[in-house]
Amino acid sequence: MASTSVSRVVPASPDQVWSLIGGFDALPDWLPSIPESTALEGGRVRRLKNLEGEVITERLLDFSEAERHYSYSIVQAPFPVNGYVATIRVHAVPGREHTAEVQWSGRFNPEGATEDEVVDLFTGIYRDGLDALHKTLSG
């Protein structure tokens, strides 16, 4: 199983960050590459569309409002992986109340691609996503 993780310090308190990204259906609020999200099954599944119009369906696996994190799996997507599970977490930065660290990590099995290719793919997705979050919060 392959994995990757990207962290980014952002200019907002953990509570402010979580209020923006903590909703499972909230990706379009901060991630320009996902302009559309439809909540299904009472909010436990989200059907996303990316800028190319491709559909990505994900299922919420774990959620903690108090600990500010959620985990999800891919049900259907145009990515060369199976067994994909990812987690988004928001951490406090000690001594900096108006700053938070956001971590986006995932694990997956390559399918039809090399491990390096899929690690690079998701590292790029997470990095670009957290860069977009930083830009949104700085704006």
Side-chain angles (χ1 to χ4, degrees):
M1 183 164 274
S3 65
T4 188
S5 182
V6 176
S7 294
R8 180 77 195 256
V9 173
V10 296
S13 72
D15 287 340
Q16 289 170 314
V17 176
W18 185 247
S19 71
L20 176 61
I21 73 171
F24 188 57
D25 195 35
L27 287 180
D29 296 341
W30 60 276
L31 192 59
S33 62
I34 302 293
E36 186 179 323
S37 179
T38 304
L40 305 168
E41 296 184 25
R44 292 181 301 276
V45 172
R46 62 186 178 195
R47 184 174 50 230
L48 310 169
K49 281 195 182 171
N50 64 17
L51 292 172
E52 293 78 35
E54 297 170 313
V55 174
I56 303 157
T57 305
E58 299 172 334
R59 177 174 298 281
L60 184 64
L61 300 175
D62 183 48
F63 180 90
S64 174
E65 186 78 35
E67 296 177 12
R68 294 187 294 260
H69 69 79
Y70 68 81
S71 298
Y72 63 95
S73 64
I74 289 179
V75 176
Q76 181 270 323
F79 304 128
V81 296
N82 65 50
Y84 177 98
V85 174
T87 301
I88 293 179
R89 295 181 183 277
V90 178
H91 301 283
V93 176
R96 298 174 68 189
E97 76 178 70
H98 298 294
T99 304
E101 180 183 14
V102 182
Q103 179 186 36
W104 197 349
S105 59
R107 62 184 192 278
F108 35 81
N109 296 307
E111 185 175 80
T114 68
E115 182 171 314
D116 286 344
E117 288 170 334
V118 295
V119 166
D120 288 349
L121 170 68
F122 288 106
T123 300
I125 289 171
Y126 300 166
R127 183 190 59 240
D128 293 349
L130 295 182
D131 286 350
L133 175 64
H134 187 278
K135 184 176 179 181
T136 297
L137 292 167
S138 298

